[in-house]
Amino acid sequence: MILYTALPLELVLEGMDRKYEFKEIEIDNVKLLVEPLDVDKGRIISIFSTDPLVYLNPKLYPGNIIKFVPR
């Protein structure tokens, strides 16, 4: 694969070696993929739902930081 970019290679590959640890949690009967930030806080990465109204909930936008009860 060839990557054509005007950016320096170090900038393009920055963070590639970082290991991400995600957890699946359930809030209000909605499954979420969350990146833990603290014991009871996390950043929403993805939403797993077939209900279109769930995606309109401003509390559940990807990137939002939420509080949850760890299991």
Side-chain angles (χ1 to χ4, degrees):
M1 181 173 94
I2 298 174
L3 176 66
Y4 294 99
T5 179
L7 298 173
L9 185 61
E10 295 80 23
L11 188 60
V12 172
L13 299 178
E14 184 178 319
M16 290 282 292
D17 56 347
R18 180 177 172 204
K19 299 290 181 189
Y20 293 95
E21 185 178 319
F22 300 129
K23 290 185 176 185
E24 275 191 32
I25 64 169
E26 191 168 322
I27 295 180
D28 299 333
N29 295 325
V30 177
K31 282 192 175 185
L32 303 169
L33 186 65
V34 174
E35 177 185 11
L37 301 175
D38 203 3
V39 176
D40 63 343
K41 290 182 186 176
R43 178 179 290 116
I44 298 175
I45 302 299
S46 184
I47 303 169
F48 302 120
S49 178
T50 56
D51 182 8
L53 294 177
V54 170
Y55 293 89
L56 298 175
N57 186 346
K59 294 188 317 183
L60 301 179
Y61 282 178
N64 276 2
I65 297 176
I66 58 169
K67 285 191 164 199
F68 61 90
V69 178
R71 292 184 184 188

